[in-house]
């Protein structure tokens, strides 16, 4: 609630509204709304606490939320119109919003806006008057706690705390060379939060296990035990094949091979269904193994060929050790005797459940950072009286949630839209949070995504996220524990809703965030939710592979769901986007990845608020010519858009761009015909980060100095650079040696902090010496460099280099290269 209130307050102080107030006598209304929102924000913490047990307060909060959302939409309308006018007058008086408001043809529009603002002020006053009868207490919002360096280790070092005995037993089972059966099953049993999945991951990734099994697969089963779906996950494919074909493919994959399969989070107690699955897996090689994790002892007995490994809570010593790691600086016990006494009491009540101990330990850590010394309330909570341990654990997690800063509560609730075991891409999740307005940055120097990254790391350190995968330079993705997912759904309430197969409940009119996932091949794009006109989020997460989304559905979405901020249409086999997409003026996040789109409609450039456009894995050939109108665009993902032939002129004006994964250099003749972007447009984009691929560098041979205009040496946030001399849509160009390539590459020197560099199709004999100055370079890849005769002398200076890959570079003597780079852990020469 605080996030939307903050967004409205910020909108009331925007430049667009300032000019509007002066010209349309709305100053009084806006100032009054600002003061009212300030007063309400101070009481929100108390109101949200009371709402758990007071229906009247809960209803009041619901009314307040409706008013604030409507106000946010109205203010966004004003700023969007200002952006639109700004793009039309950019060449005359750039960014002068007052020009827009002085146009005579806007009189009717502005009068209408003024009337709506007055009406909203009245509704807000009514809600504020009603608040007085609750006598709410002021609690000014607290700043987010700083994230300490130590917290990252919480996710790794303590994961196997107290499970050494179980780990060694499972490893003995897995590596037993005397096992002759074609498949054996090891069940791990215990209720949520005890660490079943973590234990399975530890043994699954053990170095001896990696060597022992020829085939390894991890399958999350969760609620529905669908034999066909599980088989497809083992095959690592997504297709619309019939069951008979899937069975045949599975047999080909596993027949005679010694495999290890983990079936994580199994609930199915139907022995007939299990027998069907098991029959498909009995043709593996001797010693094949299946690890099953489940909360059900019945499932463990039914499926296991080994006795179930029953996980119990950690003993008191290990529980206390884990608590200290989470609660105290440097994992050392506090000198505060009262705090230690409270801690030991609370840890005892956690029943040895690691997830609960981590949650309450981190809560103590945060409160001591805030210099709150009286933590006696922790051991006096009513939920400790609950006899059933599972309910106590959930209550501990809820307590941890209750003490999150308000913006982070929204971020966690948003994750309820995704299915259990979903792997969240960190950057994508943060981009969605930003698009929803959940991120609150009080410092103009720090961008919203940097603050969003801090939110993510705080949630990770509190164990709301887990199972992290990392790039060489940061976190790539994570998952959410099932209990945390249950918590997210519990706190999301009616505002968030998931439509899925077999779910009988229907979304409420208060629903503003909706996702749809039905794993059926006969799935059709639903239109029933179009009645929810105030939706801000629509995620189509279906795994159906035969559906298509036609213009009719697009037109309905654009006409009915005008408040959408986040729209995901990933992997729906879409071939075209309707012109009506331009009506979604509030849209900020648009995911069209993994479709069959060749061209975008020009109306997409009317989306002046659009921040993220994901077109990866599409056969797209060109971008809209007036892409420079997307003035708010920060992320343009073109990964694996290999058919892209040229870039639209004007990209260089999008100075907020932080992600541009692909840039095509066009030849001079075609540039003059279609007005494509020159490489110099990259020179203005100094906020770029992550990965950047530049193809078509051969087109610079007529004037190699132009390469310098990309100013790559100034782009200190880029992590990886990939240089292609040919374009990806038409590879294998001319093969003759070309000395100009050396001049081009010399001018493409990146910032010295680059982590990865790939060079493909280079026709020179020598690489530039600046490669030896890339002190943080972790990988170097050289491909199809037919005339390359030597590596730079400075290669030995690259102390961070972990991997060198050289493919199809025939003039490089392999023995000489290996001698030069003998110190590297990973060298691949072909």
């Amino acid at each position: 609630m605080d996030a939307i209130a903050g967004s409205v307050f910020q909108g009331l102080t925007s430049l667009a509204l300032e000019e509007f107030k002066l010209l349309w006598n709305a100053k009084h209304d806006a100032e009054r709304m600002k003061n009212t929102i300030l007063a309400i924000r101070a009481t929100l913490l108390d109101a949200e606490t009371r709402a758990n047990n007071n229906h009247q307060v809960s209803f009041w909060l619901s009314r307040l939320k409706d008013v604030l959302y409507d106000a946010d939409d109205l203010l966004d309308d004003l700023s969007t119109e200002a952006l639109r006018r700004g793009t039309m007058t950019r060449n005359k008086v750039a960014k002068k919003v007052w020009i827009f408001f002085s146009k005579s043809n806007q009189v009717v529009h502005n009068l209408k806006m003024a009337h709506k603002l007055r009406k909203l002020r009245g509704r807000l006053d009514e809600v504020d008057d009603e608040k007085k009868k609750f006598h709410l207490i002021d609690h000014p919002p607290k700043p987010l706690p700083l994230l300490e360096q130590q917290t990252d280790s919480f996710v790794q070092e303590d994961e196997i705390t107290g499970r050494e005995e179980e780990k060694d037993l499972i490893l003995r089972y897995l590596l037993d060379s005397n096992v002759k059966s074609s498949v054996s099953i090891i069940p791990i049993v215990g209720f949520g939060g005890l660490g079943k999945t973590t234990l399975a991951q530890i043994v699954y990734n053990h170095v001896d296990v990696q060597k022992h099994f020829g085939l390894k697969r991890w399958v999350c089963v969760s609620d529905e035990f669908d034999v066909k779906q599980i088989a497809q996950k083992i095959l690592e494919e997504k297709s619309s094949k019939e069951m008979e074909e899937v069975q045949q493919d599975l047999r080909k994959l596993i027949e005679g091979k010694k495999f290890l399969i983990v079936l994580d989070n199994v609930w199915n107690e139907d022995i007939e269904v299990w027998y069907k699955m098991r029959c498909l897996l009995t043709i593996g090689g001797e010693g094949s193994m299946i690890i099953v994790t489940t909360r059900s002892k019945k499932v463990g007995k039914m499926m296991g060929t080994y006795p179930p490994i029953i996980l119990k809570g950690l003993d008191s010593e290990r529980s206390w050790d884990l608590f200290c790691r989470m609660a105290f600086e440097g994992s050392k016990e506090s000198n505060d005797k009262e705090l230690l006494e409270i801690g030991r009491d609370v840890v005892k009540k956690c029943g040895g459940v690691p997830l609960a101990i981590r949650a309450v330990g981190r809560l103590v850590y945060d409160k001591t950072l805030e210099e709150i010394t009286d933590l006696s309330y922790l051991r006096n909570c009513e939920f400790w009286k609950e006899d059933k341990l599972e309910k106590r654990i959930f209550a501990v997690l809820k307590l941890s949630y209750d003490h999150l800063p308000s913006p982070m509560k929204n971020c966690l609730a948003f994750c309820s839209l995704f299915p259990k075991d979903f792997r969240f891409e960190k950057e994508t999740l943060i981009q969605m949070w930003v698009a929803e307005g959940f991120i609150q940055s009080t410092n103009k120097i720090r961008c919203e995504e940097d603050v969003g990254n801090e939110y993510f790391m705080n949630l990770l350190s509190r164990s709301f996220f887990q199972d992290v995968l990392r790039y060489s330079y940061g976190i790539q993705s994570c998952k959410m524990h099932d209990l945390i997912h249950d918590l997210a759904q519990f706190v999301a309430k009616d505002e968030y809703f998931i439509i899925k197969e077999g779910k009988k409940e229907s979304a409420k009119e208060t629903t503003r965030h909706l996702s749809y996932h039905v794993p059926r091949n006969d799935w059709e794009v639903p239109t029933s939710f179009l009645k929810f006109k105030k939706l801000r989020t629509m995620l189509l997460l279906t795994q159906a592979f035969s559906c298509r989304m036609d213009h009719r559905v697009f037109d309905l979405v654009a006409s009915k769901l005008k408040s959408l901020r986040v729209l995901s249409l990933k992997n729906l086999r879409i071939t075209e986007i309707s012109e009506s997409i331009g009506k979604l003026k509030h849209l900020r996040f648009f995911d069209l990845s993994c479709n069959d789109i060749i061209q975008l409609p020009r109306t997409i450039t009317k989306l002046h608020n659009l921040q993220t456009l994901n077109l990866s894995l599409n056969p797209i050939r060109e971008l809209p010519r007036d892409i420079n109108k997307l003035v708010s665009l920060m992320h343009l993902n073109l990964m694996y858009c290999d058919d892209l032939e040229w870039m639209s002129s004007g990209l260089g004006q999008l100075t907020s761009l932080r992600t541009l994964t692909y840039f095509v250099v066009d030849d001079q003749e075609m540039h003059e015909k279609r007005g494509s972007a020159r490489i110099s447009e990259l020179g203005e984009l100094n906020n770029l980060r992550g990965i950047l691929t530049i193809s078509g560098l051969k087109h610079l041979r007529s004037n190699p100095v132009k390469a310098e205009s990309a100013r790559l040496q100034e782009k200190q946030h880029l992590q990886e650079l990939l240089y292609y001399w040919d374009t990806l849509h038409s590879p294998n160009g001319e093969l003759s040696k070309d000395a100009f390539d050396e001049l081009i590459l010399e001018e493409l020197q990146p910032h010295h902090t680059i982590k990865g560099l790939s060079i493909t199709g280079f026709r020179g004999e020598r690489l530039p010496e600046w490669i030896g100055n890339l002190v943080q370079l972790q990988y170097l890849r050289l491909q199809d460099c037919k005339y390359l005769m030597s590596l730079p002398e400075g290669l030995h200076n690259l102390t961070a280099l972990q991997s060198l890959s050289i493919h199809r570079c025939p003039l490089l003597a392999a023995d000489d290269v290996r001698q030069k780079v003998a110190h590297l852990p990973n060298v691949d020469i072909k």
Side-chain angles (χ1 to χ4, degrees):
M1 181 75 80
D2 187 65
I4 185 65
S7 178
V8 173
F9 185 84
Q10 188 175 5
L12 289 166
T13 58
S14 67
L15 174 61
L17 192 68
E18 285 298 315
E19 299 298 338
F20 176 78
K21 287 188 301 186
L22 291 174
L23 288 167
W24 299 101
N25 201 26
K27 185 174 183 179
H28 176 69
D29 290 334
E31 291 301 319
R32 187 163 166 176
M33 288 178 71
K34 281 166 61 177
N35 292 333
T36 303
I37 288 172
L38 278 175
I40 288 175
R41 286 186 78 183
T43 63
L44 281 178
L45 184 60
D46 187 38
E48 289 174 341
T49 302
R50 293 197 201 181
N52 294 324
N53 304 305
N54 188 316
H55 178 71
Q56 285 184 313
V57 175
S58 178
F59 181 71
W60 175 79
L61 281 173
S62 180
R63 284 190 62 203
L64 172 62
K65 187 175 287 187
D66 279 342
V67 175
L68 290 176
Y69 272 129
D70 289 346
D72 192 47
D73 283 345
L74 176 64
L75 294 167
D76 204 48
D77 282 342
L78 282 168
S79 63
T80 302
E81 188 65 12
L83 284 173
R84 187 181 74 84
R85 289 281 163 170
T87 62
M88 293 173 66
T89 61
R90 179 178 291 172
N91 295 330
K92 298 177 182 177
V93 186
K95 300 179 183 178
K96 294 292 185 179
V97 180
W98 62 268
I99 289 182
F100 148 52
F101 289 113
S102 67
K103 297 291 184 181
S104 59
N105 62 353
Q106 291 298 309
V107 171
V108 175
H109 174 268
N110 290 338
L111 283 172
K112 185 178 180 181
M113 292 293 106
H115 177 71
K116 286 184 177 181
L117 190 67
R118 174 69 54 88
K119 191 174 179 180
L120 276 170
R121 194 209 74 187
R123 288 172 61 196
L124 188 62
D125 286 346
E126 288 178 13
V127 173
D128 187 46
D129 288 340
E130 188 180 355
K131 177 197 73 172
K132 295 170 185 175
K133 69 181 182 183
F134 301 124
H135 306 290
L136 299 173
I137 301 170
D138 286 5
H139 290 283
K142 298 174 183 176
L144 280 172
L146 293 174
L147 185 67
E148 298 294 319
Q149 283 299 111
Q150 64 169 14
T151 58
D152 189 47
S153 64
F154 295 159
V155 187
Q156 296 180 11
E157 294 175 8
D158 62 45
E159 291 290 1
I160 197 61
T161 297
R163 301 296 183 207
E164 290 80 6
E165 186 178 330
E166 292 90 343
K167 180 190 75 172
D168 292 342
L169 177 59
I170 297 172
L171 286 174
R172 282 202 302 274
Y173 289 159
L174 293 176
L175 303 175
D176 186 355
S177 58
N178 295 318
V179 176
K180 301 302 180 185
S181 59
S182 60
V183 63
S184 303
I185 297 99
I186 307 169
I188 305 174
V189 181
F191 60 78
L194 280 173
K196 302 181 297 297
T197 299
T198 300
L199 177 59
Q201 287 171 332
I202 293 294
V203 295
Y204 182 83
N205 293 311
H206 193 279
V207 61
D208 293 336
V209 172
Q210 297 277 350
K211 297 174 184 176
H212 190 73
F213 294 95
L215 177 69
K216 293 168 72 251
R217 291 291 188 271
W218 185 284
V219 178
C220 178
V221 180
S222 205
D223 298 335
E224 184 181 5
F225 197 95
D226 186 298
V227 174
K228 181 179 176 183
Q229 280 188 47
I230 293 171
Q232 287 181 314
K233 288 181 179 179
I234 295 171
L235 289 166
E236 296 183 333
E237 70 174 21
K238 294 181 179 180
S239 70
S240 55
K241 292 179 180 178
E242 296 299 323
M243 184 62 193
E244 183 59 36
E245 286 185 274
V246 173
Q247 290 182 38
Q248 291 174 8
D249 291 345
L250 184 60
R251 290 191 190 100
K252 290 177 185 177
L253 176 69
I254 67 174
E255 189 170 8
K257 293 179 184 175
K258 183 188 288 188
F259 63 76
L260 170 62
I261 296 173
V262 176
L263 300 178
D264 186 35
N265 198 18
V266 177
W267 289 85
N268 169 63
E269 296 184 348
D270 187 334
I271 196 167
E272 294 299 324
V273 175
W274 164 236
Y275 281 160
K276 288 179 184 178
M277 186 74 246
R278 182 172 175 173
C279 286
L280 296 178
L281 301 172
T282 54
I283 58 173
E286 286 185 356
S288 292
M289 294 279 179
I290 298 174
I291 297 175
V292 174
T293 71
T294 178
R295 297 189 198 180
S296 167
K297 289 183 180 179
K298 182 178 178 180
V299 171
K301 290 178 181 178
M302 178 184 78
M303 297 179 68
T305 59
Y306 287 95
I309 296 171
I310 309 294
L311 292 192
K312 299 178 180 179
L314 304 179
D315 61 33
S316 57
E317 182 181 347
R318 285 173 171 143
S319 295
W320 181 248
D321 178 62
L322 178 54
F323 175 81
C324 289
R325 292 192 198 186
M326 299 297 298
F328 305 128
E329 190 75 41
S331 303
K332 297 179 181 178
E333 289 189 9
S334 169
N335 295 323
D336 187 331
K337 292 183 179 179
E338 183 180 1
L339 180 58
L340 290 177
E341 183 184 339
I342 293 170
R344 289 190 182 279
D345 197 8
V346 170
V347 168
K348 184 178 180 181
K349 293 174 179 178
C350 285
V353 178
L355 187 63
I357 296 169
R358 286 192 185 96
V360 77
R362 179 61 200 223
L363 188 58
V364 169
Y365 179 79
D366 288 339
K367 294 303 174 187
T368 52
L369 274 185
E370 296 170 21
E371 299 183 356
I372 297 175
T373 55
D374 184 10
L375 295 174
S376 57
Y377 71 91
L378 282 177
R379 63 177 169 188
N380 296 327
C381 292
E382 283 295 314
F383 59 73
W384 294 125
K385 298 176 183 178
E386 172 64 55
D387 291 333
K388 199 168 184 181
L389 183 57
E390 288 94 326
K391 290 186 177 180
R392 291 213 307 268
I393 300 315
F394 189 82
V396 169
L397 300 178
K398 176 62 166 59
L399 180 67
S400 181
Y401 166 84
D402 288 339
H403 285 80
L404 286 175
S406 181
M408 288 166 57
K409 290 180 180 178
N410 292 318
C411 296
L412 186 70
F414 184 80
C415 296
S416 69
L417 290 173
F418 300 85
K420 287 184 177 180
D421 199 55
F422 184 83
R423 179 157 290 282
F424 296 95
E425 296 291 330
K426 176 192 166 190
E427 297 303 323
T428 300
L429 184 60
I430 292 172
Q431 288 162 17
M432 287 182 172
W433 290 346
V434 172
E436 297 285 5
F438 295 157
I439 309 301
Q440 295 185 13
S441 178
T442 55
N443 187 340
K444 292 183 179 180
I445 298 175
R446 300 182 65 203
C447 70
E448 289 178 322
E449 288 187 12
D450 288 342
V451 178
N453 182 69
E454 187 171 308
Y455 285 15
F456 179 92
M457 296 306 295
N458 268 282
L459 289 169
L460 177 62
S461 72
R462 289 168 169 80
S463 300
F464 288 109
F465 293 128
Q466 62 176 34
D467 194 9
V468 170
L469 292 181
R470 287 174 166 80
Y471 294 116
S472 56
Y473 49 84
I475 291 175
Q476 176 187 7
S477 64
C478 67
K479 290 187 178 182
M480 180 175 273
H481 192 284
D482 280 0
L483 283 182
I484 300 296
H485 190 275
D486 292 342
L487 173 66
Q489 289 190 318
F490 177 77
V491 299
K493 298 180 181 175
D494 294 339
E495 193 173 339
Y496 294 81
F497 192 79
I498 300 174
I499 297 176
K500 59 183 179 181
E501 191 174 29
K503 189 169 183 176
K504 296 180 180 179
E505 309 98 299
S506 58
K508 307 286 194 303
E509 288 201 15
T510 53
T511 298
R512 299 197 181 253
H513 309 279
L514 185 141
S515 67
Y516 193 103
H517 35 96
V518 177
R520 297 185 311 195
N521 289 328
D522 59 349
W523 180 86
E524 293 182 0
V525 178
T527 57
S528 58
F529 53 70
L530 294 174
K531 62 184 178 182
F532 305 110
K533 297 181 180 180
K534 295 183 178 181
L535 277 182
R536 290 185 158 222
T537 307
M538 189 169 77
L539 309 177
L540 300 188
L541 304 176
T542 181
Q543 295 181 15
F545 313 113
S546 58
C547 65
R548 290 188 183 275
M549 194 171 190
D550 58 23
H551 281 215
R552 178 184 63 86
V553 178
F554 262 117
D555 294 342
L556 282 170
V557 168
S559 63
K560 301 292 185 182
L561 306 182
K562 294 182 179 179
S563 294
L564 278 179
R565 264 73 172 169
V566 171
L567 178 59
S568 178
L569 305 177
K570 181 178 181 178
N571 196 24
L572 296 179
R573 299 184 65 203
I574 297 170
T575 56
E576 288 183 316
I577 304 295
S578 169
E579 296 278 344
S580 60
I581 195 67
K583 295 178 181 179
L584 296 177
K585 58 184 175 182
H586 297 289
L587 196 63
R588 285 158 165 77
F589 178 96
F590 196 14
D591 188 352
L592 287 168
S593 61
C594 307
N595 282 297
D596 299 315
I597 300 167
I598 295 175
Q599 190 172 23
L600 294 171
R602 291 194 65 176
T603 53
I604 202 169
T605 61
K606 292 182 178 181
L607 304 179
H608 302 301
N609 286 305
L610 192 64
Q611 299 166 347
T612 299
L613 179 58
N614 188 350
L615 298 170
S616 61
L617 287 163
N618 274 286
I620 195 158
R621 292 177 183 170
E622 62 182 73
L623 299 174
R625 291 179 183 270
D626 48 355
I627 196 170
N628 60 314
K629 290 183 179 179
L630 295 175
V631 291
S632 301
L633 196 63
M634 294 189 290
H635 304 281
L636 180 56
N637 190 341
L638 300 169
M639 291 289 287
Y640 306 111
C641 292
D642 296 347
D643 292 333
L644 194 61
E645 299 175 2
W646 56 284
M647 310 299 290
S648 304
S649 180
L651 270 175
Q653 297 174 38
L654 303 180
T655 54
S656 296
L657 269 181
R658 295 160 66 89
T659 302
L660 177 63
T661 55
Y662 188 39
F663 186 93
V664 184
V665 180
D666 207 356
D667 69 28
Q668 182 62 32
E669 182 181 347
M670 294 307 296
H671 164 75
E672 292 173 358
K673 283 185 178 179
R674 54 194 177 193
S676 53
R678 297 180 185 274
I679 196 171
S680 58
E681 299 213 32
L682 287 175
E684 305 301 318
L685 306 179
N686 283 338
N687 290 316
L688 290 181
R689 54 193 63 201
I691 185 171
L692 171 61
T693 297
I694 306 177
S695 74
L697 289 171
K698 65 182 180 182
H699 297 311
L700 296 176
R701 285 171 179 158
S702 60
N703 193 351
V705 180
K706 284 185 178 179
E708 190 275 336
S709 64
R711 292 159 52 189
L712 297 177
Q713 200 168 358
E714 299 174 17
K715 298 175 186 6
Q716 57 182 317
H717 303 298
L718 278 177
Q719 302 289 338
E720 298 180 68
L721 270 168
L722 285 69
Y723 296 143
Y724 287 84
W725 258 253
D726 292 315
T727 53
L728 297 183
H729 73 94
S730 58
N732 300 322
E734 60 272 18
L735 299 178
S736 59
K737 179 168 62 175
D738 200 311
F740 287 117
D741 283 11
E742 294 181 19
L743 298 177
I744 293 169
L745 193 54
E746 183 67 45
E747 300 293 350
L748 292 174
Q749 179 176 353
H751 194 270
H752 65 272
T753 57
I754 200 80
K755 305 295 191 302
L757 179 64
S758 178
I759 300 171
T760 302
F762 174 71
R763 304 297 174 203
E765 296 180 349
R766 293 175 180 80
L767 296 173
E769 289 302 319
W770 53 252
I771 290 179
N773 299 325
L774 305 179
V775 293
Q776 296 185 30
L777 195 69
Q778 295 177 15
Y779 83 79
L780 175 62
R781 185 185 303 122
L782 306 173
Q783 298 180 119
D784 297 311
C785 301
K786 304 291 185 182
Y787 298 96
L788 185 61
M789 301 180 67
S790 64
L791 297 178
E793 290 298 322
L795 203 63
H796 65 276
N797 296 329
L798 306 183
T799 55
L801 193 64
Q802 297 293 309
S803 173
L804 175 65
S805 175
I806 301 176
H807 291 178
R808 299 178 297 279
C809 301
L811 299 186
L812 280 178
D815 291 339
D816 292 346
V817 171
R818 286 193 174 92
Q819 189 174 358
K820 264 189 176 183
V821 296
H823 61 287
L824 294 181
N826 187 6
V827 177
D828 179 23
I829 303 176
K830 294 180 182 177

